[in-house]
Amino acid sequence: MFKKLIVFIVLFGFVVSCKKDDDDNVIQLRDRNEQFVTDSISIANFLDSHYVEVDTELNVTFEKLTDGDGKESVRKQKTYPLQHHMATVDGVNYKIYFLKIREGSKINPTPLDSVLVSYKGNLLDKTRFDWRPNPFWTSALISGSINTNIFSTKGPRYILPEFKSGDFIENSDGTLTYNNFGVGVMFLPSGLAYFQNSIQGISAYTPIIVTFNLYAVKFRDHDLDLVLTQEEDLNSNNDYTDDDTDVDGKPNYLDADDDGDGIPTKNEVAITIVEEKTIIDFKIDDNKNGVPNYLDKEDIKEYNKEETTE
């Protein structure tokens, strides 16, 4: 009995010791509003204590202001005026600062469109924690899932629509050269970046600076209903999850039958071919009540039903 008691005490002590170590390694979840206040102070200090340099290739760097250098801070300089975008995310009213180095010349993406981008990510101490110089396709995912791609965090979806893609020429080897593409910088508080998550090169609750190029845009149709995702934000609030016409739990951009009338949305739009170009009319309104057929259970005519043969 005595031996068993000793063993129990030793094991109990080991469990308590392990539990304490585990607690020490857990990242405590912070209040998002309070963290935004902290991040805002840090970002403001950076904007007031650094100046921006842009070379002839539109590469962007930031340098520390020193007395007598004759430079204007990021906030005060007028060459690339400091702008901001307001967004309410997770109950926080975020003010997201950005610089428009070059707007771009072609197409503004919406938050869920695919974009061809390159970027670099820096901390406020200018340490670079991520760099993707080669263009790649991605999207500002609505889930805000976390991985090492900055564009899967929440912040970029609010800033990218402020910019446009560029034009391109096709080279003899089949590659493309992009010109006049969008170039920008966004200053993201941690709540719109990685928040409590630690990834390689960046600790939890860290605001970041993202310098990016926007080369091209592909419009998405997530539910393949022939209505582009960008058209399914009916209340135009950039939140695609709160538009659910038939209240079936699926937002319209993921619902192949938006009005729940049993007729797929793709059958309630009209398709015509003009000069070898496909034109889709999704605003047909047979009963003239101001609601297009694909969003109105009372309009049941099928315009685009696939023909079947036996």
Side-chain angles (χ1 to χ4, degrees):
M1 176 67 181
F2 181 71
K3 290 182 179 179
K4 290 182 179 179
L5 181 61
I6 292 175
V7 170
F8 174 77
I9 292 173
V10 170
L11 289 175
F12 179 76
F14 176 75
V15 171
V16 170
S17 176
C18 288
K19 184 65 170 65
K20 183 179 186 303
D21 289 344
D22 288 345
D23 287 344
D24 289 343
N25 292 328
V26 171
I27 300 295
Q28 297 297 320
L29 191 62
R30 298 180 185 176
D31 180 89
R32 286 185 175 271
N33 275 290
E34 293 177 0
Q35 185 59 41
F36 177 52
V37 172
T38 299
D39 291 344
S40 294
I41 293 172
S42 298
I43 291 172
N45 287 337
F46 181 90
L47 297 175
D48 292 329
S49 63
H50 289 75
Y51 64 92
V52 59
E53 289 280 356
V54 181
D55 67 17
T56 56
E57 300 296 320
L58 298 189
N59 296 306
V60 181
T61 56
F62 295 97
E63 301 296 338
K64 186 86 170 176
L65 285 168
T66 57
D67 291 339
D69 62 11
K71 302 291 186 180
E72 293 279 6
S73 69
V74 176
R75 190 189 300 277
K76 291 182 179 180
Q77 55 83 33
K78 303 300 182 186
T79 306
Y80 309 104
L82 184 65
Q83 302 182 54
H84 70 270
H85 180 95
M86 300 299 300
T88 300
V89 186
D90 298 321
V92 181
N93 295 319
Y94 284 103
K95 188 175 187 178
I96 315 168
Y97 286 106
F98 66 96
L99 298 176
K100 191 172 286 186
I101 307 302
R102 181 170 64 192
E103 183 176 15
S105 60
K106 288 296 184 180
I107 302 171
N108 295 94
T110 60
L112 290 184
D113 289 323
S114 292
V115 289
L116 183 67
V117 295
S118 62
Y119 71 83
K120 65 178 178 180
N122 293 83
L123 308 182
L124 294 182
D125 66 4
K126 298 192 295 182
T127 300
R128 189 173 69 193
F129 67 88
D130 195 5
W131 186 38
R132 300 200 180 191
N134 297 319
F136 69 102
W137 284 101
T138 185
S139 63
L141 299 178
I142 201 163
S143 64
S145 59
I146 298 299
N147 60 37
T148 55
N149 173 8
I150 287 171
F151 286 87
S152 68
T153 63
K154 295 179 179 180
R157 75 184 64 146
Y158 299 101
I159 302 304
L160 279 178
E162 302 279 354
F163 293 80
K164 296 179 180 179
S165 60
D167 49 44
F168 65 87
I169 58 174
E170 185 170 356
N171 303 313
S172 58
D173 60 359
T175 60
L176 302 178
T177 298
Y178 288 90
N179 301 290
N180 304 314
F181 48 83
V183 180
V185 184
M186 58 184 104
F187 303 86
L188 299 182
S190 63
L192 297 179
Y194 298 105
F195 200 48
Q196 82 275 20
N197 299 281
S198 297
I199 64 171
Q200 185 175 0
I202 180 172
S203 58
Y205 305 112
T206 301
I208 60 176
I209 304 170
V210 183
T211 304
F212 63 92
N213 295 340
L214 171 59
Y215 301 101
V217 175
K218 285 182 182 177
F219 294 139
R220 299 287 299 277
D221 178 8
H222 286 77
D223 53 9
L224 303 177
D225 64 356
L226 301 183
V227 179
L228 291 176
T229 294
Q230 62 176 273
E231 303 289 349
E232 306 219 58
D233 179 19
L234 301 181
N235 56 16
S236 302
N237 68 345
N238 281 333
D239 182 355
Y240 288 75
T241 64
D242 65 358
D243 302 278
D244 182 8
T245 299
D246 57 7
V247 197
D248 65 350
K250 289 187 212 174
N252 286 6
Y253 86 101
L254 295 176
D255 193 342
D257 180 9
D258 292 309
D259 56 6
D261 63 358
I263 302 174
T265 293
K266 67 181 181 180
N267 291 348
E268 298 187 274
V269 303
I271 298 178
T272 56
I273 307 296
V274 178
E275 295 180 355
E276 299 185 355
K277 179 181 284 189
T278 300
I279 299 176
I280 298 174
D281 182 1
F282 59 89
K283 295 185 178 181
I284 299 170
D285 179 15
D286 285 324
N287 62 9
K288 308 300 181 184
N289 67 348
V291 181
N293 289 6
Y294 82 100
L295 297 175
D296 190 351
K297 285 186 176 182
E298 297 178 8
D299 278 329
I300 60 174
K301 186 173 181 179
E302 297 183 83
Y303 284 86
N304 186 38
K305 189 172 183 179
E306 295 179 4
E307 298 294 334
T308 59
T309 57
E310 295 184 5

